Amino acid sequence: MSGGLLVAGTTSDAGKSVVTAGICRWLVRRGVKVAPFKAQNMSLNSFVTRECAEIGRAQAMQAQAARVEPTALMNPVLLKPGGDRSSQVVLMGRPVGEMSARGYHGGRQESLLSTVTDCLEQLRSTYDAVICEGAGSPAEINLRRTDIVNMGIARAARFPVVVVGDIDRGGVFASFFGTTALLSPEDQELIAGYLVNKFRGDVSLLEPGLDMLRELTGRPSYGVLPFAHGLGIDEEDGLRVSLRGAVRESVVAPPHGEDVLRVAVCAVPLMSNFTDVDALAAEPGVVVRFVDRAEELADADLVVVPGTRGTVKALAWLRERGLADALLRRAAEGRPVLGICGGYQILGTRIEDEVESRAGRVEGLGLLPVQIRFDREKTLARPSGEALGAPVEGYEIHHGVADVRGGDPFLTDGRGRPLDGCRSGSVWGTHWHGSLESDAFRRAFLTEVARASGRRFVPAPGTCFAALREEQLDRLGDLIEEHADTDALWRLIESGAPSGLPFVPPGAPASPAQEVM
């Protein structure tokens, strides 16, 4: 077999990514060779595969759920916003240029359909099942003509579609009905049914509505997934938590030592790969919060300046909000600061940027003896080395090239020869994303932070981030197994959408493009 399923949503952030991951984990546990797929992803959270291709972190997470190595085939088109109206287009893991939204939807997107269908067919030839994730909503009728990620790919592959709705937002029945009714008859033929996400309470109270929805649309509900706290799964399109809320809604475990450590993450514009701090939040006794005010740095034991798709813009934002001055005071007082990727560049003395912002020469914060020059070629790598006497692995995604002119080496090759980043006093910087997922290094780094902060914090010796991630993915698989109609889902994957599904008026008129998409 080479079956499949497309997981669509009534809205962005309805839960498509986690449902797709949950289905992948459920299938692989029952012996099915499965792969995830998302034709087009818009996200600033990305990952570098073993072949040094850049894809969305959500697809890398879904590949881990499926227990397969992520590849560019699983996310052939990645859009990385650089502002309100333009994005960098990453095709098959490599950047191919900047494009406005109008330019992309005006023709380029449509031309990519053959690329994404080729990738999907390669996956189908290798795996028993492919679980596709849609984007936004399939009922975005203004974009249907050039759609290659929702009904466009479903039509091309003849995949059945399950629509996920976030009931925690309210209006889920209207969203299910309206999503279906706005689609053309040809698209509606593939809408097999619905999946309710994030339900709180007694499911029996929901059942009359589900029965009425089936009467109205002729389509069943495939399950009601309960609201689950603290899953900690990689986000795709944005920061789900409040700036002043704890990262990932996670419950902070009691400290292993006498004190907790407080980590403040500057919520810079166009923040990218904020998943870097998930490993810190997983440590017992470490409290991680995103902040946007200078006074919120006062009680922090560590401040992280994270990655960003707009280094110069983020630097200006830090200065405008007084956060830059607060960082300078921290460094002068010997209080720890960590810059990652764009954050590392901000901490340097000078930035030469004719690529990302085209701002030319800009003075950095001067906390690290590093000068940055933006190169048109993007660095995509999967490096490894050591730091603080511990092994480290990470991945690189950046245009900035660092010229280190002092300080102490940070990440080295094991013989003391510098590989990346530097340290000056209590300020560290590196281009390597994901380095804090290396357990021994993370513990050594937090020990240094605690010493510099005067905290009696001791890292828990047994925390394994990879094992915690596996537990989280198993929880997603459990949600599907325990709360979804898995027999019915398997029939969809194996046999496609049921025939004779009724049309829900008014529908959308078919266009010439929709005849092939």
Side-chain angles (χ1 to χ4, degrees):
M1 72 172 277
S2 59
L5 177 73
L6 186 133
V7 179
T10 56
T11 61
S12 295
D13 203 29
K16 298 183 293 293
S17 295
V18 294
V19 168
T20 299
I23 292 174
C24 285
R25 178 51 58 103
W26 157 62
L27 286 172
V28 76
R29 290 196 305 205
R30 61 178 288 174
V32 178
K33 189 179 180 183
V34 59
F37 178 77
K38 184 161 185 172
Q40 171 195 296
N41 195 347
M42 177 174 280
S43 179
L44 288 174
N45 282 338
S46 58
F47 180 77
V48 178
T49 66
R50 291 290 178 193
E51 72 268 33
C52 293
E54 186 179 8
I55 66 172
R57 267 201 75 101
Q59 280 61 65
M61 174 269 292
Q62 291 161 357
Q64 186 177 351
R67 297 181 180 146
V68 296
E69 189 68 32
T71 73
L73 292 174
M74 297 171 183
N75 179 208
V77 182
L78 173 64
L79 306 179
K80 303 193 73 174
D84 292 337
R85 296 187 178 182
S86 68
S87 296
Q88 182 181 69
V89 180
V90 179
L91 180 62
M92 296 302 296
R94 302 290 175 182
V96 295
E98 296 280 335
M99 187 167 289
S100 68
R102 180 182 292 272
Y104 184 70
H105 290 285
R108 181 60 187 267
Q109 185 182 36
E110 204 169 345
S111 69
L112 295 174
L113 180 62
S114 62
T115 298
V116 301
T117 54
D118 286 347
C119 290
L120 179 56
E121 287 308 308
Q122 288 186 59
L123 292 174
R124 294 180 74 177
S125 68
T126 306
Y127 294 90
D128 298 328
V130 180
I131 307 303
C132 303
E133 179 189 345
S137 164
E140 292 168 351
I141 55 179
N142 56 316
L143 303 177
R144 177 60 186 91
R145 184 181 62 82
T146 56
D147 168 44
I148 62 172
V149 65
N150 289 306
M151 301 312 300
I153 196 69
R155 288 271 293 276
R158 300 307 300 171
F159 274 0
V161 179
V162 172
V163 182
V164 177
D166 178 358
I167 196 170
D168 200 48
R169 294 183 175 190
V172 73
F173 295 116
S175 298
F176 283 144
F177 182 87
T179 297
T180 308
L182 279 175
L183 299 178
S184 68
E186 295 82 4
D187 285 348
Q188 287 193 29
E189 289 177 0
L190 297 175
I191 301 294
Y194 314 105
L195 189 64
V196 177
N197 192 27
K198 300 184 191 176
F199 181 71
R200 307 172 193 250
D202 185 347
V203 175
S204 66
L205 298 177
L206 194 66
E207 289 172 351
L210 298 176
D211 292 340
M212 291 177 66
L213 182 67
R214 181 163 193 161
E215 292 173 8
L216 288 166
T217 66
R219 292 161 172 83
S221 297
Y222 288 93
V224 178
L225 306 184
F227 193 101
H229 288 279
L231 285 172
I233 296 298
D234 296 350
E235 305 294 351
E236 177 182 283
D237 296 326
L239 188 61
R240 182 172 297 180
V241 296
S242 161
L243 288 180
R244 276 166 280 283
V247 64
R248 298 294 182 280
E249 304 172 331
S250 57
V251 177
V252 179
H256 186 70
E258 297 181 46
D259 288 343
V260 300
L261 275 187
R262 295 174 175 83
V263 178
V265 184
C266 297
V268 296
L270 299 173
M271 182 165 46
S272 61
N273 285 66
F274 52 78
T275 48
D276 283 332
V277 300
D278 282 357
L280 295 178
E283 282 286 345
V286 176
V287 182
V288 179
R289 293 183 179 276
F290 290 90
V291 303
D292 63 350
R293 299 186 303 204
E295 57 267 30
E296 293 176 296
L297 304 189
D299 66 346
D301 301 302
L302 169 67
V303 174
V304 177
V305 186
T308 171
R309 173 83 164 87
T311 299
V312 170
K313 183 176 182 179
L315 175 58
W317 181 87
L318 290 169
R319 285 177 167 142
E320 290 166 2
R321 302 187 72 88
L323 287 158
D325 288 338
L327 289 170
L328 293 172
R329 288 193 297 271
R330 284 187 65 87
E333 296 165 359
R335 303 174 68 197
V337 176
L338 171 65
I340 302 175
C341 200
Y344 170 39
Q345 298 165 4
I346 285 169
L347 299 180
T349 58
R350 191 173 70 196
I351 300 168
E352 295 274 356
D353 181 11
E354 299 293 347
V355 176
E356 190 176 77
S357 68
R358 298 182 175 84
R361 178 177 293 189
V362 178
E363 297 303 310
L365 295 185
L367 297 181
L368 290 174
V370 178
Q371 294 186 7
I372 301 294
R373 175 185 55 82
F374 273 68
D375 193 359
R376 295 195 179 278
E377 292 296 317
K378 180 185 280 192
T379 297
L380 296 171
R382 287 284 296 269
S384 61
E386 72 171 41
L388 304 178
V392 186
E393 293 184 352
Y395 55 99
E396 295 183 69
I397 308 169
H398 55 92
H399 285 277
V401 178
D403 179 9
V404 180
R405 301 188 173 191
D408 299 316
F410 186 15
L411 299 161
T412 68
D413 65 357
R415 299 181 181 179
R417 292 177 295 193
L419 288 178
D420 181 78
C422 73
R423 174 183 181 177
S424 178
S426 62
V427 181
W428 293 265
T430 175
H431 273 128
W432 290 15
H433 295 290
S435 60
L436 293 168
E437 296 179 16
S438 300
D439 297 324
F441 165 67
R442 182 179 64 255
R443 286 192 281 268
F445 178 71
L446 289 176
T447 299
E448 289 270 314
V449 169
R451 184 183 299 117
S453 302
R455 296 286 185 187
R456 290 172 294 181
F457 170 86
V458 180
T463 303
C464 175
F465 185 76
L468 291 173
R469 175 52 56 90
E470 277 297 300
E471 290 176 12
Q472 292 163 334
L473 293 172
D474 274 332
R475 286 182 63 194
L476 291 182
D478 293 343
L479 285 174
I480 297 298
E481 286 194 19
E482 295 169 10
H483 301 283
D485 186 344
T486 52
D487 289 341
L489 288 175
W490 178 247
R491 287 194 295 271
L492 287 180
I493 293 167
E494 192 174 35
S495 304
S499 59
L501 290 169
F503 171 68
V504 180
S511 69
Q514 287 175 283
E515 295 303 320
V516 295
M517 293 178 65

